[in-house]
Amino acid sequence: MSTPAHAPLGDPPDDPLARERSHLAASRAALRAMREDVEALDIRDVTANWVNAEVLARQIDERVKALADLSDTPLFFGRLDYLRAPGAELAEGARGERFYIGRRHVHDADGDPMVIDWRAPVAQPFYRASGKSPMDVGLRRRFGYTGGELTAYEDEHLSDPAQTATTSKLLQQEIERPRVGPMRDIVATIQPEQDEIVRSGLSGTVCVQGGPGTGKTAVGLHRVAYLLYAHRDRLARTGTLVIGPNRSFLHYIEQVLPALGELAVRQATVDDLVAQVEVRGTDDAAAATVKGDARMAEVVRRALYAHVTAPTEPVVVVRGSRRWRVPAYELQEMVRELLERDIRYGAAREALPQRIAHAVLVRMEQAGEAPDDRVQDAVARSGPVKAAVKEVWPAVDPAKLVLRLLTDADFLAEHAAGILDEDERKTILWTKPARSVKSARWSAADAVLIDEAADLVQRTPSLGHVVLDEAQDLSPMQYRAVGRRCTTGSATVLGDLAQGTTPWATRSWAEALRHLGKPDGAVEELTAGFRVPSDVIAYASRLLPHIAPGLTPVASVRENPGFFEVRTVTQAAEVVAACAELLRKEGSTGLIAADARVPRLAEALTAAGISWLAPGEETTRETRLTLVPASLAKGLEYDYVVLDEPQAVVDGEPDERTGLRRLYVTLTRAVSGLILTHATSLPAQLTPEETPLPQPVPGN
């Protein structure tokens, strides 16, 4: 591999870098022409009505947005020179085609490609080709940019057996480039093991276990972009969804897919999905754990179907001068058959009047009459039939059902018998019964139970694909809620068992996939760390034997070991001074602290005249410091981090194991450097005497 070649503007025309710059300029002009062609479309004479016109206008607007040329985003980042045309036999002296790889497809006025979408099959060797398996590629060229200006290139001659594989300098530079603003795509730096996951098929569910800095979130988002490219028509009908742990996280990642030209992917939290009631209350850890247990699904199901009762009276329908009687034993058989079919409660309730009406029509036909479908519908809507259905199979409001379970001790005991013990029932019973659904102080876990009940009544619509990030913190009932959104689709599950910080955190991915309804999902593990510096991840990995002893430690592949320092401080001003020191460097800085210590640090920052942001607020070049409560740090990243008082982070959680997992999260948010400040003793698990550093598994 050659070292990056740099050249100033104004190089002679025969200079390779000048030619690449010329192609970049021509590609930008072509993209601009493509956008202008779409903007110039006249749809006045091609739409039949105003509805079609609105739909087409919206599609055109989305297309225009997708063709935007972002000045600071490279239009292409790589080039492939094939030895032969892909799929063709190599003839003596023949030369293959050349493809520029970028974030979107760009073609010239004749329709010939100038930039190939990174998701196209012909672009795949850019990520996977190697000296051992060149995939018919003679040359792979990577480009370096500064502020959108092409400034360097780097070549790999994959067909040259004499060339030894070395780490790409440009790749390292791109990975370590300072971060200001929201999360960016990794389309230029996707690694072979990541690309395999990104390009896995739509039909299968994939679960990615990845430690800090392995790129699992980016892999999940890029998989969505790839699936939308490869299965656009299908997913346009069925929809896609990205689920994150909180609003701050979603705001942080929200620009990744639009930067790749995908504008229609919805983002939500689990709480958003189940928001059928207003959440105004909270549960203690014990209550939330029981409510989130998968056993609650059976309790809710029993309570719902307990409303179905066996008919004891016949149904008599009057039609004209005749009376038609359906006996109770026949009604009982109808109810029994509907229960055995295991269809939704609401669907069965809608089917029962038609069953009764059909029985009446059979009697009418036996008596020589010739009723049609209109007669059957009229019988199904008749007073006697409606009254019988209301008595036997009454309508049930999901929220009222859950409210009764949580406030009526006898009702809960009846339907939780053999499932929850007495202590567990007492744990979830409300001490102050609510007068109504609206006045109830519902918790987030209660909302999930209501969603479970609602799905038993009426099937939840399924999407084509769902990405679930930071999944390790979901309860079994939350997994079920997500699974209901992709029963006929697939999912990408992303997480790290070592970063589970809820009392109900996932213990194994096999268990999580069962709750999700995807027991056959494939579990992949990413262990190469691209984001966290080696010194930092080695220090944080001292916690792994205590929080996730079965996991492979992340092995940093970065050549830069990063900046790491442990400082003893005596006052908040020294923590602020550490922040000021890091702000003199390029990039973003995060000050992470136990939630209880955040107000004090906020006052100290303000007193020092340092402006700061809350998580979810976008950093700018003027304001690059974010003050982050430890509970919101998961999934976020900063160039530099000051971690205040690690022991306070541990003490802020209900138990030590959860606290150590929270500490592991906060220790691994830095991309370039970490300063750890403490006035009290560090957790014993971080000292070398207590815990030896875990060693990466060879080959990983």
Side-chain angles (χ1 to χ4, degrees):
M1 177 185 295
S2 66
T3 57
H6 298 263
L9 288 172
D11 284 336
D14 60 344
D15 182 83
L17 191 59
R19 289 198 300 270
E20 301 295 16
R21 286 170 171 164
S22 177
H23 186 78
L24 175 61
S27 299
R28 289 196 183 281
L31 179 61
R32 184 166 57 251
M34 291 170 61
R35 188 171 64 254
E36 290 171 351
D37 287 344
V38 176
E39 291 172 336
L41 290 174
D42 187 349
I43 63 173
R44 289 175 296 181
D45 297 328
V46 297
T47 53
N49 53 54
W50 70 269
V51 175
N52 290 341
E54 287 287 332
V55 172
L56 186 55
R58 185 170 65 252
Q59 292 174 340
I60 290 174
D61 183 59
E62 290 176 352
R63 178 61 176 162
V64 169
K65 292 178 181 177
L67 291 172
D69 185 8
L70 306 177
S71 60
D72 60 346
T73 301
L75 194 56
F76 57 79
F77 46 80
R79 193 184 97 186
L80 291 177
D81 290 4
Y82 276 87
L83 294 172
R84 54 184 169 182
E89 293 297 325
L90 181 62
E92 184 175 354
R95 293 185 62 187
E97 297 182 74
R98 172 178 296 171
F99 298 98
Y100 286 84
I101 313 302
R103 286 168 173 78
R104 67 199 66 191
H105 177 86
V106 179
H107 60 255
D108 61 17
D110 297 324
D112 294 326
M114 300 191 71
V115 180
I116 297 294
D117 193 303
W118 66 276
R119 298 168 287 188
V122 75
Q124 183 175 334
F126 182 77
Y127 302 107
R128 298 200 193 179
S130 66
K132 293 182 179 179
S133 178
M135 300 175 72
D136 289 334
V137 174
L139 172 72
R140 172 167 56 201
R141 174 169 288 180
R142 300 182 190 274
F143 296 107
Y145 287 82
T146 302
E149 178 65 37
L150 199 163
T151 55
Y153 69 90
E154 186 179 66
D155 288 342
E156 292 175 90
H157 297 276
L158 299 178
S159 59
D160 183 0
Q163 179 169 293
T164 58
T166 58
T167 303
S168 166
K169 300 295 184 182
L170 290 180
L171 194 64
Q172 286 287 335
Q173 291 172 12
E174 175 62 22
I175 290 172
E176 298 176 14
R177 181 160 56 94
R179 294 144 198 270
V180 175
M183 180 182 179
R184 57 177 181 257
D185 65 72
I186 62 165
V187 68
T189 62
I190 294 173
Q191 299 300 291
E193 64 273 19
Q194 296 173 327
D195 190 64
E196 289 183 14
I197 298 171
V198 167
R199 295 177 192 265
S200 54
L202 177 61
S203 60
T205 288
V206 177
C207 175
V208 182
Q209 159 63 40
T214 55
K216 57 185 177 297
T217 294
V219 165
L221 294 174
H222 286 68
R223 187 180 183 214
V224 171
Y226 172 77
L227 292 176
L228 287 168
Y229 174 88
H231 307 278
R232 190 167 301 281
D233 290 342
R234 177 176 172 182
L235 290 178
R237 295 192 304 271
T238 56
T240 53
L241 173 67
V242 174
I243 303 173
N246 51 57
R247 286 275 132 212
S248 297
F249 177 85
L250 292 177
H251 183 71
Y252 176 63
I253 68 171
E254 66 184 357
Q255 295 302 318
V256 174
L257 289 170
L260 298 174
E262 301 299 343
L263 307 173
V265 179
R266 181 187 166 202
Q267 296 184 348
T269 65
V270 174
D271 291 344
D272 294 332
L273 299 182
V274 301
Q276 300 186 44
V277 293
E278 182 182 0
V279 174
R280 297 184 298 161
T282 57
D283 288 314
D284 59 29
T289 301
V290 175
K291 290 178 182 179
D293 194 295
R295 294 174 297 163
M296 287 300 299
E298 177 60 17
V299 175
V300 173
R301 192 197 68 79
R302 286 185 184 180
L304 174 63
Y305 281 92
H307 290 78
V308 180
T309 58
T312 57
E313 299 292 333
V315 171
V316 179
V317 177
V318 178
R319 293 286 298 176
S321 60
R322 303 287 299 272
R323 293 164 58 89
W324 306 98
R325 182 176 181 274
V326 181
Y329 74 86
E330 192 170 340
L331 296 175
Q332 292 171 5
E333 182 62 26
M334 293 178 192
V335 171
R336 184 163 51 252
E337 288 179 356
L338 286 172
L339 288 172
E340 290 174 351
R341 286 183 60 190
D342 196 30
I343 60 177
R344 292 299 193 275
Y345 184 95
R349 187 176 186 276
E350 293 172 359
L352 182 56
Q354 290 292 334
R355 295 285 184 95
I356 298 172
H358 178 72
V360 171
L361 260 65
V362 169
R363 286 163 172 74
M364 295 174 70
E365 290 170 348
Q366 291 172 344
E369 297 189 16
D372 56 19
D373 290 344
R374 290 175 296 177
V375 174
Q376 179 167 332
D377 289 340
V379 172
R381 295 193 303 268
S382 66
V385 172
K386 290 170 68 175
V389 171
K390 184 178 180 180
E391 179 69 23
V392 173
W393 209 298
V396 177
D397 178 84
K400 290 182 179 178
L401 175 70
V402 174
L403 183 62
R404 187 178 177 190
L405 276 173
L406 298 176
T407 57
D408 186 332
D410 293 337
F411 187 69
L412 176 62
E414 177 184 356
H415 301 298
I419 300 176
L420 303 180
D421 61 32
E422 184 177 357
D423 288 340
E424 289 173 319
R425 296 197 301 271
K426 288 181 178 179
T427 297
I428 64 174
L429 274 172
W430 291 2
T431 56
K432 295 181 179 180
R435 294 189 301 273
S436 66
V437 168
K438 287 187 176 181
S439 66
R441 294 186 60 82
W442 298 106
S443 70
D446 298 334
V448 177
L449 294 177
I450 294 171
D451 190 72
E452 179 81 26
D455 182 71
L456 290 170
V457 174
Q458 193 72 39
R459 185 183 298 276
T460 304
S462 175
L463 297 163
H465 192 76
V466 169
V467 173
L468 176 61
D469 205 353
E470 300 295 348
Q472 71 279 346
D473 279 329
L474 267 62
S475 70
M477 291 299 288
Q478 286 176 314
Y479 276 115
R480 290 175 61 87
V482 173
R484 287 192 281 276
R485 272 73 186 178
C486 56
T487 50
T488 59
S490 57
T492 301
V493 181
L494 311 166
D496 180 12
L497 297 179
Q499 295 186 59
T501 51
T502 55
W504 49 85
T506 303
R507 290 173 293 186
S508 75
W509 291 122
E511 178 184 338
L513 289 169
R514 286 197 302 272
H515 294 313
L516 192 68
K518 307 292 182 182
D520 297 328
V523 179
E524 305 286 349
E525 187 172 10
L526 296 175
T527 58
F530 303 98
R531 175 173 57 77
V532 185
S534 57
D535 288 356
V536 174
I537 195 63
Y539 186 77
S541 293
R542 290 175 173 174
L543 298 174
L544 283 181
H546 304 276
I547 60 176
L551 289 185
T552 303
V554 172
S556 178
V557 298
R558 294 174 53 171
E559 293 184 346
N560 182 359
F563 169 72
F564 175 54
E565 183 179 346
V566 179
R567 295 182 183 177
T568 302
V569 298
T570 58
Q571 54 187 343
E574 294 175 83
V575 179
V576 172
C579 294
E581 176 184 329
L582 294 179
L583 286 171
R584 288 193 286 272
K585 301 176 182 290
E586 184 182 2
S588 59
T589 297
L591 170 55
I592 305 177
D595 292 29
R597 295 177 61 84
V598 166
R600 179 188 174 198
L601 291 171
E603 293 177 0
L605 288 170
T606 302
I610 298 178
S611 59
W612 51 274
L613 303 167
E617 295 180 315
E618 188 171 326
T619 56
T620 65
R621 298 203 176 274
E622 292 72 33
T623 306
R624 295 180 288 113
L625 175 66
T626 303
L627 179 55
V628 187
S631 62
L632 296 181
K634 193 171 298 178
L636 305 179
E637 60 183 29
Y638 303 93
D639 285 295
Y640 298 95
V641 167
V642 175
L643 175 57
D644 170 66
E645 208 60 72
Q647 188 61 54
V649 173
V650 176
D651 294 341
E653 299 298 325
D655 57 79
E656 185 181 60
R657 179 170 177 149
T658 304
L660 290 174
R661 287 185 168 188
R662 182 75 71 189
L663 178 58
Y664 182 73
V665 171
T666 59
L667 281 169
T668 54
R669 300 304 95 199
V671 176
S672 298
L674 169 67
I675 297 177
L676 190 156
T677 61
H678 67 104
T680 61
S681 298
L682 292 173
Q685 294 82 356
L686 286 177
T687 62
E689 294 77 12
E690 170 70 18
T691 307
L693 288 176
Q695 297 301 311
V697 175
N700 289 334

